[in-house]
Amino acid sequence: MAVAPKVQQAKNKMATPASPTTMPAARKPLPLLLLSLSLPALLLVLSFVFLLSHTTFSLLICPPLPRLSSTRNATSGASRTGTSLGVSMDETLQAFHASMPTTPSRRNATSSSSSSTSIAASVDKTLHEAFHAFAAAPPPPLPSWPPAAPSVKSSRKKASAKRNKSLLKLLLRKTPQTRRFAARADELFAVPCTDRFFMTWLSPLSQFGRRELLVLESLFRWHRGGCLLVASDTMDSAGGRDKLRPFLERGFRLAVASPDFAYLLNGTPAEAWLSAVQRGGVSLGSVPLGQNLSNLLRLALLYRYGGIYLDADVVVLRPLSDLRNAIGAQAVDKATGDWRRLNNAVMVFDRAHPLLHEFIAEFAAAFDGSKWGHNGPYLVSRVAARLRHGSPDLAFTVLPPRAFYPVHWSKIGGLFVAPKDRKDKRWVKAKVENIKGESFGIHLWNRESSRLEMEEGSVIGTLISHSCLFCNSSMFVKQG
């Protein structure tokens, strides 16, 4: 039939592959092929550049730490760090532990393993653990106050300059107030006192606050028959007398008088120095003038009247009546036990004592108004060191640091803080007992602690509570 061949031809045609002319094969364009080949290479190059730039930036910002010179040096450094624990503690604190009596029972005693790791071999174990826990964390540092604005700094400089001018007037000429100084002193001492005390206050009246009043309380707490003369131009005012009213109303013998330097220095080696200052021949330096004048004024007061001088930041803890011709050491040599530095915050001397004469002469001959401490603690240390083996006429006693400086100035902050747990409470109790048992007083180092508040239950708070006259809760900063 005619249909079959046609069908067969159609099947054969469908089964036959298409020729190149009728259906060309699909091919990739050349640009797309090149892009697909170059993309991995491009990514590899970019990764390499990124790694190289990142490494270079890291080296610039964070350079590698230097390699230790040797294992031996590293080991010795670690050893020195371990042994410096006892060295960094204040000397008197160690003396307290070393001087504690041992009990017959060794049950609670802590044995010493080695001299480089032991703090105090004879300390009771409980006390040792409490103290060690406290010492492991240093006392709270002074608050990190924000830097003062330029306007605040400028106002402080102006106030300091104004105060220096006021003090300079005390040196250059007499005033109605300074002319009454001798009469006020004679009136105060006309009736015999059990003890004569002297303080100086050449700072602004506003800075004589609660802490200074507590110091006065501690003084009269232990010396109710004593007399106190405060040499101060700012306290010699209605405002100053108002601050002292609680003492005056209760009959304590207390007087304030503007110091008459010409009267006090008359006949002393500093008389010529004062004349040179009045002629403008002495540079008074950059240290606040009040500090240097206070150093001279305390020497002149003791030289003319004799008695006991106290800084306004020394809390009295027991009677000082038995002390005579004495000055306290601030630091001692641990190897020899000899004193290394004295401090003039507390001095007890007879009238016209030869050592006071030497102190005043040194002030006039070596005055330097630009070095802090040069005319104060360092002065008495220099002179005493020269004369310690001198004439018997200069006989005087150097009291150990624990007498008035039981805590180093860098550690004083921890004594204002209330205990936080049972270990702290045990340490505070032991510290208070040690200071009360060994010290005549404690220097608060106002230069370092003036911004600190006294917390209730702290070492300082407890000590003052035992020596106050008008004791009340307002002495302490409120907690929590």
Side-chain angles (χ1 to χ4, degrees):
M1 297 180 59
V3 178
K6 291 181 179 182
V7 173
Q8 185 66 34
Q9 289 177 2
K11 291 181 177 180
N12 293 339
K13 187 176 181 179
M14 293 175 62
T16 304
S19 63
T21 57
T22 60
M23 188 178 294
R27 293 182 180 180
K28 294 183 179 180
L30 182 59
L32 185 59
L33 179 62
L34 292 177
L35 180 61
S36 63
L37 293 175
S38 61
L39 185 59
L42 181 61
L43 291 175
L44 182 62
V45 172
L46 290 176
S47 300
F48 178 78
V49 172
F50 174 79
L51 290 174
L52 181 62
S53 61
H54 180 72
T55 303
T56 304
F57 180 79
S58 299
L59 290 174
L60 290 174
I61 299 301
C62 303
L65 293 175
R67 186 179 299 232
L68 291 176
S69 58
S70 66
T71 306
R72 179 180 179 182
N73 290 340
T75 305
S76 63
S79 176
R80 285 193 298 269
T81 303
T83 58
S84 65
L85 176 62
V87 176
S88 64
M89 295 165 53
D90 62 278
E91 294 84 1
T92 305
L93 192 61
Q94 293 181 346
F96 284 158
H97 290 297
S99 62
M100 288 184 63
T102 57
T103 58
S105 173
R106 292 289 178 174
R107 178 179 178 181
N108 294 326
T110 303
S111 59
S112 173
S113 58
S114 65
S115 58
S116 62
T117 58
S118 174
I119 296 178
S122 62
V123 183
D124 180 83
K125 183 176 181 180
T126 304
L127 176 59
H128 177 77
E129 290 176 350
F131 169 73
H132 188 73
F134 188 92
L142 294 177
S144 55
W145 301 91
S151 59
V152 176
K153 291 183 179 180
S154 177
S155 62
R156 287 177 180 174
K157 288 183 179 180
K158 290 180 180 179
S160 178
K162 182 179 179 180
R163 181 62 188 146
N164 283 348
K165 289 182 181 179
S166 299
L167 291 172
L168 187 59
K169 291 180 181 179
L170 290 176
L171 292 174
L172 298 181
R173 61 180 180 270
K174 289 179 176 290
T175 66
Q177 288 179 311
T178 60
R179 289 190 179 96
R180 292 195 293 269
F181 175 83
R184 288 187 179 180
D186 292 341
E187 180 183 358
L188 177 65
F189 300 138
V191 178
C193 312
T194 57
D195 301 280
R196 289 184 179 181
F197 288 93
F198 300 91
M199 285 185 180
T200 64
W201 187 261
L202 300 182
S203 300
L205 174 63
S206 60
Q207 294 181 12
F208 195 95
R210 181 180 58 179
R211 182 180 296 189
E212 288 70 30
L213 292 172
L214 288 173
V215 168
L216 296 189
E217 287 189 39
S218 72
L219 187 156
F220 286 113
R221 162 71 172 79
W222 298 104
H223 307 87
R224 294 180 182 269
C227 304
L228 171 62
L229 176 62
V230 181
S232 171
D233 62 319
T234 56
M235 290 291 290
D236 188 9
S237 61
R241 286 185 289 273
D242 187 61
K243 287 178 179 286
L244 302 176
R245 191 177 307 279
F247 299 92
L248 299 173
E249 289 178 345
R250 289 167 173 81
F252 290 104
R253 300 178 60 186
L254 169 63
V256 181
S258 297
D260 185 346
F261 282 91
Y263 169 76
L264 290 169
L265 298 179
N266 183 39
T268 72
E271 183 178 10
W273 176 86
L274 178 61
S275 298
V277 171
Q278 294 171 340
R279 296 192 305 268
V282 176
S283 172
L284 297 178
S286 57
V287 173
L289 185 57
Q291 292 185 16
N292 287 323
L293 291 185
S294 176
N295 289 324
L296 176 60
L297 183 55
R298 67 191 66 184
L299 298 175
L301 288 168
L302 290 179
Y303 190 73
R304 177 164 290 273
Y305 297 106
I308 303 170
Y309 171 81
L310 290 173
D311 266 357
D313 59 346
V314 176
V315 178
V316 181
L317 302 176
R318 63 168 66 183
L320 309 180
S321 305
D322 293 336
L323 298 179
R324 185 181 179 189
N325 298 327
I327 189 170
Q330 178 182 330
V332 296
D333 189 313
K334 294 176 182 176
T336 64
D338 293 336
W339 60 267
R340 289 191 296 108
R341 183 181 302 168
L342 305 182
N343 197 297
N344 63 340
V346 182
M347 296 184 290
V348 186
F349 283 101
D350 294 340
R351 180 178 181 273
H353 191 279
L355 185 59
L356 292 173
H357 185 276
E358 297 298 323
F359 287 157
I360 296 173
E362 177 75 8
F363 184 98
F367 177 82
D368 189 332
S370 296
K371 294 181 180 179
W372 187 92
H374 176 81
N375 308 304
Y378 295 112
L379 181 152
V380 295
S381 299
R382 291 194 306 270
V383 174
R386 290 200 304 259
L387 302 175
R388 69 166 73 189
H389 302 301
S391 170
D393 295 339
L394 298 175
F396 62 96
T397 300
V398 174
L399 301 171
R402 63 179 177 271
F404 293 103
Y405 314 101
V407 179
H408 192 267
W409 59 266
S410 64
K411 308 288 185 181
I412 193 66
L415 273 65
F416 283 81
V417 181
K420 301 299 187 295
D421 52 35
R422 294 173 63 183
K423 284 188 176 181
D424 287 352
K425 289 181 180 179
R426 289 198 300 267
W427 182 84
V428 167
K429 181 180 179 181
K431 184 67 174 174
V432 168
E433 290 177 354
N434 279 326
I435 294 178
K436 287 178 62 179
E438 299 284 345
S439 302
F440 289 97
I442 180 170
H443 193 259
L444 300 184
W445 305 107
N446 265 4
R447 184 179 172 88
E448 300 297 324
S449 69
S450 59
R451 291 182 174 180
L452 299 180
E453 291 288 350
M454 181 176 59
E455 297 181 0
E456 188 170 6
S458 64
V459 173
I460 298 299
T462 305
L463 290 173
I464 288 183
S465 295
H466 295 165
S467 296
C468 57
L469 278 175
F470 322 128
C471 308
N472 56 72
S473 59
S474 65
M475 298 188 303
F476 309 105
V477 62
K478 300 300 182 183
Q479 300 296 305

